[in-house]
Amino acid sequence: MLVSMKAILDHANKHNYAVMAMNSINMEMVRGAIRAAEEMHAPIIIQMGPGQMGKHAHREEMVPLVTELAQRASVPVCLNMDHGSKFEDMVDCIRAGFTNVMFDGSSLPYEENVARTEMVCALAHPHGCSVEAELGHVGQAADEDDENADFLTDPAMAKDFVDRTGVDALAVAIGTAHGAYPKGKIPKLDFERLTQLKQTLKMPLVLHGGSGAGEANIRKAVECGINKINVATDAFQAAKDAFMAAYNENPSKDYLQLCMDTEEGVKKFVEDYMQMIGCCNRYYYGAAVSTSKE
Ligand code: 13P
């Protein structure tokens, strides 16, 4: 079933678990992820950003694909626009049937981020589309400057932001970054800040930059209140690895078989990830059947 991200994340927030949100740019990734979610009895968030939609995963083609697969699925599926910043893009995605949009005003001055986020909520909510926003700034893993503590989310400011915007989920900056970290680096996360944010906001919190963040960090982040983990770089790598392994096993394999093997590789990646973050068996045919931790 296709549902709003709010429906998925309010349940996750209430029962202290996190849902995987995977950037997906083709049929193999979307179908592999949704099939994994069904097998694991877990909700899933399929997402794509404006750059990905502009280059390859065109909105007009991906929305019908995700909607069709989501409607057939036995678990809740959300279609999220990741890192929207242009007003027209947000409107187009809401109209096209996305069930969540993320407005990323994290590089804007605070008051402008508040005003624009509030406007996006006013546009999206009447359509049953929920909204994620970002406060503080999650930068790029390759950029050394993003270790700067000034970018981390301040709990008092976050409370003001949420109260004034009516946003449904908040992406917080606690030390992760987007993309691949320099070889051997595992980021240091500010769990004290995260705990404070959860205690102050008591709402769904989002971790961007899930790739390469380290299993121990991810598990602890979930314990401290993260309800959605964004994974892009590692998911694309899993798809590429699966394709390459299938090809290397037998270079004369036809393209159809390589695509099928890629989908199986993505499915396995998602299943393993879901087991790691502990979101399996939380939902069954839309009803919560388990609130205990696996
Ligand atoms: P990674 O590519 O680091 O997993 O980040 C994904 C993300 O946060 C998408 O919004």
Side-chain angles (χ1 to χ4, degrees):
M1 64 215 79
L2 185 65
V3 301
S4 74
M5 198 164 90
K6 178 174 167 57
I8 291 177
L9 293 190
D10 281 354
H11 186 269
N13 180 42
K14 192 165 166 205
H15 299 294
N16 309 311
Y17 67 98
V19 177
M20 184 178 183
M22 191 174 93
N23 290 66
S24 310
I25 46 95
N26 60 19
M27 182 175 75
E28 289 74 20
M29 291 190 82
V30 175
R31 205 163 52 194
I34 294 180
R35 284 176 55 219
E38 289 194 279
E39 209 140 303
M40 295 288 113
H41 303 304
I44 180 112
I45 297 160
I46 301 292
Q47 59 188 18
M48 49 214 90
Q52 291 159 348
M53 288 190 270
K55 276 191 198 153
H56 179 74
H58 305 139
R59 194 184 57 237
E60 296 79 2
E61 295 136 31
M62 293 302 282
V63 173
L65 171 74
V66 177
T67 305
E68 168 66 23
L69 292 171
Q71 280 167 350
R72 276 198 237 148
S74 56
V75 291
V77 179
C78 163
L79 174 56
N80 174 39
M81 184 217 201
D82 192 28
H83 288 287
S85 58
K86 287 197 196 132
F87 204 64
E88 316 84 80
D89 287 349
M90 320 284 316
V91 172
D92 287 346
C93 284
I94 294 165
R95 283 214 182 112
F98 277 68
T99 57
N100 191 82
V101 287
M102 181 212 178
F103 173 68
D104 180 359
S106 64
S107 299
L108 299 171
Y110 178 68
E111 285 300 329
E112 210 170 320
N113 191 3
V114 170
R116 291 198 194 189
T117 302
E118 191 185 1
M119 209 186 305
V120 173
C121 287
L123 270 171
H125 286 163
H127 295 269
C129 176
S130 49
V131 178
E132 172 187 338
E134 180 169 326
L135 187 67
H137 181 67
V138 180
Q140 298 301 318
D143 189 347
E144 294 294 322
D145 275 358
D146 284 328
E147 299 231 323
N148 190 335
D150 291 349
F151 291 125
L152 302 184
T153 311
D154 175 70
M157 195 186 259
K159 175 87 176 89
D160 180 70
F161 184 84
V162 168
D163 287 348
R164 288 170 65 193
T165 57
V167 79
D168 303 290
L170 188 69
V172 292
I174 56 162
T176 55
H178 297 100
Y181 293 95
K183 208 169 169 16
K185 178 177 171 179
I186 302 272
K188 188 169 166 12
L189 306 194
D190 189 341
F191 293 113
E192 209 173 301
R193 182 181 298 267
L194 176 58
T195 305
Q196 246 186 321
L197 282 160
K198 193 67 173 191
Q199 281 167 359
T200 311
L201 302 174
K202 301 179 177 59
M203 68 181 289
L205 299 181
V206 180
L207 186 73
H208 280 243
S211 298
E215 206 172 309
N217 272 339
I218 295 283
R219 284 181 194 270
K220 183 133 191 229
V222 176
E223 260 171 49
C224 294
I226 288 295
N227 304 112
K228 172 185 181 237
I229 302 174
N230 282 15
V231 186
T233 306
D234 282 353
F236 295 136
Q237 190 64 45
K240 185 174 159 185
D241 287 349
F243 185 98
M244 295 304 290
Y247 176 82
N248 288 331
E249 186 188 76
N250 177 5
S252 66
K253 262 189 191 176
D254 65 19
Y255 183 62
L256 177 77
Q257 189 59 50
L258 292 173
C259 291
M260 289 168 68
D261 291 349
T262 304
E263 181 175 322
E264 289 309 310
V266 171
K267 178 171 177 277
K268 172 85 172 62
F269 167 75
V270 174
E271 286 173 0
D272 291 348
Y273 206 91
M274 285 178 159
Q275 268 161 344
M276 193 257 290
I277 65 175
C279 62
C280 306
N281 297 313
R282 301 299 186 131
Y283 262 95
Y284 193 68
Y285 296 115
V289 291
S290 167
T291 56
S292 64
K293 288 193 174 163
E294 287 95 320

